[in-house]
Amino acid sequence: MASSVPSTPRGSFPRYLEHLSGSGKAIGVLTSGGDAQGMNAAVRAVVRMGIYVGAKVYFIYEGYQGMVDGGSNIVEAKWESVSSILQVGGTIIGSARCKAFHTREGRLQAAGNLVQRGITNLCVIGGDGSLTGANIFRKEWSELLEELAKNGKISEEAVTKYSYLNVVGMVGSIDNDFCGTDMTIGTDSALHRIMEVIDAIMTTAQSHQRTFVLEVMGRHCGYLALVSALACGADWVFLPESPPEEGWEENMCVKLSENRARKKRLNIIIVAEGAIDTQNQPISSQKIKDLVVKQLGFDTRVTILGHVQRGGTPSAFDRILASRMGVEAVVALLEATPETPACVVSLSGNQAVRLPLVECVQMTQDVQKAMDERRFKDAVRLRGRSFEGNLNIYKRLAIKLPDDQITKSNCNVAVINVGAPAAGMNAAVRSAVRVGIADGHKMLAIYDGFDGFAKGQIKEIGWSDVGGWTGQGGSILGTKRVLPGKFLKEIAEQIRAHSINALLIIGGFEAYLGLLELSAAREKYEELCIPMVMVPATVSNNVPGSDFSIGSDTALNTITDTCDRIKQSASGTKRRVFIIETMGGYCGYLANMGGLAAGADAAYIFEEPFDIRDLQSNVEHLTEKMKTSIQRGLVLRNENCSENYTTDFIYQLYSEEGKGVFDCRKNVLGHMQQGGVPSPFDRNFGTKISARAMQWITTKLKESYGKGKKCVSDDYICVLGISKRNVIFQPVADLKEETDFEHRIPKEQWWLKLRPLMKILAKYKASFDVSDSGQLEPVQDQNTQGEPAAI
């Protein structure tokens, strides 16, 4: 890609974004099409990053309509213009469908309005229609300017000065219907709304033994329906991309009645609003209800969620995603040249990438074409790796084959929870148990961690034993921080007594240490020479070998919700600063990412040492802030960030130094962060990663049993995690080098790169490393290396 800044190959010397490096540029930001939660976070990031680099940033109100109408619809944005919008759903700059922009006259008018203000950079937040419109506008730009000059609307000088338009898109759509990106802005928040409703409905359905048919949004895309079905363990799901096979009516009724026979008191059926059969005929929620009532006589109700899914406050994931995308969009505009094609900033695994807008839109339209032509397998494949993976796992977990159709492996696989409880652990156990049973294994549950393992608290666990587990917080199996070192002999005896052939450990740093101890003891106890894999589950997100842990997203949402309430209370009393202590041990993930999601002024973490001078500069920064219209402050502190600068110390220092300017309050969030129902992300992540771990176990068992060899090599004891874009199994022995055992954290942590982002958005100067940015990638090539980690 041609770029005004020479692009560096990934991994070479770092390239930093300089303060005021975009002086003289003017950026217009607009939201268009349907609204989505998180759009405001994206607008805020674009405005603040734009101002930080010295550009002028303009709000374009009411989408393309405002661009065509001009006048008071295009207004320069100030730093304070985007204050307090992070937690607001929808879009503060409005969105409207615009017929005029479809015409050349409309676009001519829009071009005149932009040139008047010197805007030659556009940041468009919307769906594929909005982005296509922006690309057409970009292509016609020079012709439009020449026509304006010919009509005497602008000077020839302006034609030369503003000769090209750069466009960067961000996808804001709750449907997650845009190809090329794993998650669009708003999808995670919409899933939060859906899961809140499903959790509430499940309690009433259970009381009355009812069947509920839930209709969720997704006219052309079944992502919301599929993921919510996966996250709640629905009995049946209807999607536009993957219609049910002929004779589905009978199959569905058999499945529902089988589930009832297994003592399941409720049935949940999820329908995407655009659900169709193989002949492209619509399948409505009413039709499904009538069918269930007629065939089975079950008490059945329909709930249509509608616009509830678009509303409400954005989730922590969406705020962080939108902030990252917004900053990346400004960096892309700064580096753009006349030759740069329009691009979309997007998420691939855990990495922000730039993709050619035209290719993404084309691929999105290809899905619809495949559906219209009834090429449903192609439609699912084109939707991308995330969608296809979700669909395959849903099918494996929802439908149990009769026992006589499952080939028995004659292997016993045990599942154990270790460490502190984390929301999503139960979803991971359910997924492991069901995938294991489908693979022909006998599944054993170990209760109360390694302590229970040594005492023989081991029982067989069946398919229906784990029904309804996805939405439960904590750990149903029970979990303890006890390490296996003291009980190795007893554990080896239990492995022998129960003929355990493989072990799946779900837990945090203790699970990692336990895995190391078990690995080291293999020489002494041959019973321990079995495949073992660990799936990270801890709110602290401090396990080496993975960018994410099950449970950290739920904790992040708890922190963000609390910060929102606290900010509200602070804005009522004015001139107040809150100091909030988060969990995480020595790992600053929750404090840093919570700070980014809640719009904090500072976050103190162990990984970035600070001294009294830093505290002093933060106090001065807040004193300045109190002179503006934003008269409140929010400071997060990780519980172990400093031995001496405790929460009390910081609170007293701020109180003393801020006398007469602001007053101070403190709040320790504590174990609230470990509790609560798991977020949709944690349910989905736990389900998918645990299913992947069981597939690995099945492969390893086949390898070792086929050759009759003992599992003594290092690659039989692994940690499964997500690293950048890939799902990877790393031998626990290899991870030792990457671990700071004293502080129980990995030596290198990806999220530290986002730290300057939080500082810049809070009006501090910071060096922001943009070495990973700059390359425009083809859409298809994203899956070529490694096993893709669609989150």
Side-chain angles (χ1 to χ4, degrees), residues 23-280:
S23 296
K25 291 213 176 216
I27 301 170
V29 58
L30 70 143
T31 52
S32 172
D35 68 319
Q37 307 95 319
M39 277 183 166
N40 285 329
V43 169
R44 171 181 178 266
V46 170
V47 168
R48 293 197 166 173
M49 194 66 181
I51 292 172
Y52 175 79
V53 297
K56 280 187 166 186
V57 186
Y58 290 87
F59 284 149
I60 300 173
Y61 287 100
E62 311 306 337
Y64 289 116
Q65 192 62 54
M67 202 193 286
V68 173
D69 296 344
S72 60
N73 288 303
I74 306 176
V75 178
E76 190 178 343
K78 298 278 178 279
W79 190 273
E80 278 94 38
S81 315
V82 289
S83 167
S84 306
I85 67 168
L86 200 53
Q87 64 272 28
V88 179
T91 160
I92 58 152
I93 53 176
S95 176
R97 312 268 176 199
C98 175
K99 291 218 171 74
F101 199 74
H102 287 279
T103 66
R104 190 179 164 89
E105 290 70 47
R107 293 194 291 274
L108 191 68
Q109 225 170 316
N113 289 328
L114 293 187
V115 169
Q116 246 178 13
R117 295 161 179 83
I119 301 171
T120 55
N121 297 281
L122 268 191
C123 184
V124 182
I125 308 163
D128 58 338
S130 312
L131 300 181
T132 308
N135 195 45
I136 292 167
F137 191 42
R138 186 187 73 85
K139 283 182 177 162
E140 290 180 353
W141 181 258
S142 50
E143 293 168 28
L144 293 171
L145 293 205
E146 277 161 25
E147 197 174 321
L148 286 167
K150 206 165 88 184
N151 300 344
K153 296 274 172 65
I154 61 169
S155 64
E156 286 295 338
E157 191 189 340
V159 176
T160 323
K161 191 176 175 187
Y162 305 121
S163 58
Y164 66 94
L165 177 74
N166 286 118
V167 171
V168 173
M170 281 183 268
V171 191
S173 157
I174 65 163
D175 294 339
N176 203 21
D177 56 357
F178 194 80
C179 292
T181 177
D182 283 349
M183 280 292 250
T184 56
I185 296 166
T187 307
D188 188 63
S189 303
L191 285 169
H192 272 261
R193 296 300 91 79
I194 294 169
M195 293 318 300
E196 283 158 16
V197 172
I198 292 176
D199 287 346
I201 275 176
M202 277 176 141
T203 52
T204 169
Q206 227 153 1
S207 309
H208 297 277
Q209 295 201 34
R210 280 191 176 137
T211 296
F212 267 87
V213 181
L214 277 124
E215 186 180 298
V216 299
M217 278 185 167
R219 208 170 318 141
H220 306 293
C221 177
Y223 184 88
L224 290 177
L226 176 56
V227 174
S228 44
L230 196 59
C232 76
D235 298 78
W236 203 271
V237 65
F238 291 92
L239 313 168
E241 296 88 343
S242 180
E245 291 159 11
E246 294 295 324
W248 63 267
E249 296 90 344
E250 194 181 329
N251 294 342
M252 184 183 77
C253 291
V254 168
K255 167 93 196 298
L256 295 178
S257 49
E258 273 176 8
N259 281 353
R260 280 291 167 96
R262 286 197 196 110
K263 303 275 193 299
K264 190 174 177 187
R265 291 180 61 87
L266 77 159
N267 302 110
I268 298 274
I269 300 165
I270 293 181
V271 194
E273 63 178 322
I276 47 173
D277 63 18
T278 47
Q279 302 308 308
N280 280 22

Side-chain angles (χ1 to χ4, degrees), residues 538-543 549 551-552 555 583-585 587-590 639 749 751:
T538 163
V539 297
S540 307
N541 198 24
N542 63 337
V543 176
S549 302
S552 56
M583 283 176 115
C587 177
Y589 177 81
L590 289 178
E639 58 185 351
Q749 302 185 79
W751 52 266

Side-chain angles (χ1 to χ4, degrees), residues 218-465:
R219 208 170 318 141
H220 306 293
C221 177
Y223 184 88
L224 290 177
L226 176 56
V227 174
S228 44
L230 196 59
C232 76
D235 298 78
W236 203 271
V237 65
F238 291 92
L239 313 168
E241 296 88 343
S242 180
E245 291 159 11
E246 294 295 324
W248 63 267
E249 296 90 344
E250 194 181 329
N251 294 342
M252 184 183 77
C253 291
V254 168
K255 167 93 196 298
L256 295 178
S257 49
E258 273 176 8
N259 281 353
R260 280 291 167 96
R262 286 197 196 110
K263 303 275 193 299
K264 190 174 177 187
R265 291 180 61 87
L266 77 159
N267 302 110
I268 298 274
I269 300 165
I270 293 181
V271 194
E273 63 178 322
I276 47 173
D277 63 18
T278 47
Q279 302 308 308
N280 280 22
Q281 294 307 304
I283 299 177
S284 69
S285 37
Q286 190 58 44
K287 178 180 175 179
I288 297 162
K289 176 195 166 172
D290 295 343
L291 179 78
V292 174
V293 171
K294 188 178 164 200
Q295 299 279 341
L296 301 171
F298 288 172
D299 184 2
T300 307
R301 299 281 192 276
V302 173
T303 300
I304 297 172
L305 268 66
H307 281 72
V308 164
Q309 296 157 85
R310 278 194 194 282
T313 180
S315 64
F317 182 93
D318 270 332
R319 297 181 197 193
I320 293 165
L321 171 68
S323 301
R324 283 175 76 178
M325 299 297 109
V327 167
E328 182 70 21
V330 172
V331 176
L333 287 171
L334 287 186
E335 295 178 353
T337 65
E339 290 76 48
T340 310
C343 75
V344 176
V345 289
S346 138
L347 187 73
S348 170
N350 180 31
Q351 208 165 18
V353 292
R354 298 181 200 170
L355 303 169
L357 188 149
V358 183
E359 281 181 43
C360 292
V361 169
Q362 185 54 53
M363 211 163 148
T364 306
Q365 288 166 352
D366 288 348
V367 179
Q368 191 55 48
K369 192 166 173 243
M371 279 153 63
D372 293 341
E373 292 169 6
R374 308 217 295 257
R375 292 182 288 112
F376 296 111
K377 278 205 170 91
D378 288 348
V380 170
R381 187 180 50 76
L382 287 165
R383 269 279 176 247
R385 53 205 193 155
S386 172
F387 193 89
E388 208 170 352
N390 285 331
L391 185 58
N392 294 336
I393 290 173
Y394 173 76
K395 285 176 180 169
R396 292 202 77 184
L397 297 179
I399 298 161
K400 182 182 187 294
L401 288 170
D403 289 338
D404 54 6
Q405 286 180 33
I406 298 173
T407 316
K408 293 282 176 276
S409 68
N410 298 322
C411 292
N412 297 344
V413 179
V415 183
I416 184 170
N417 286 350
V418 178
M425 273 183 164
N426 299 321
V429 172
R430 167 186 177 266
S431 172
V433 167
R434 290 197 169 178
V435 170
I437 291 170
D439 283 345
H441 310 314
K442 179 176 169 187
M443 295 303 294
L444 302 173
I446 300 171
Y447 294 85
D448 296 334
F450 288 120
D451 192 19
F453 201 166
K455 291 175 183 160
Q457 294 173 357
I458 303 167
K459 269 200 220 133
E460 185 178 352
I461 187 163
W463 185 277
S464 45
D465 295 335

Side-chain angles (χ1 to χ4, degrees), residues 474-487:
S475 160
I476 296 173
L477 294 184
T479 178
K480 285 189 176 174
R481 289 177 181 267
V482 179
L483 293 174
K486 294 183 263 185
F487 311 112

Side-chain angles (χ1 to χ4, degrees), residues 519 522-523 526 528-530 709-717:
S519 171
R522 284 184 297 175
E523 287 171 16
E526 66 166 4
L528 297 175
C529 296
I530 56 173
K709 62 173 184 174
K710 279 273 175 230
C711 311
V712 286
S713 64
D714 282 345
D715 61 352
Y716 278 99
I717 297 201

Side-chain angles (χ1 to χ4, degrees), residues 758-774:
M758 191 202 90
K759 292 180 180 175
I760 289 168
L761 297 178
K763 217 172 185 176
Y764 286 93
K765 283 181 189 162
S767 301
F768 186 47
D769 183 355
V770 289
S771 319
D772 282 351
S773 304

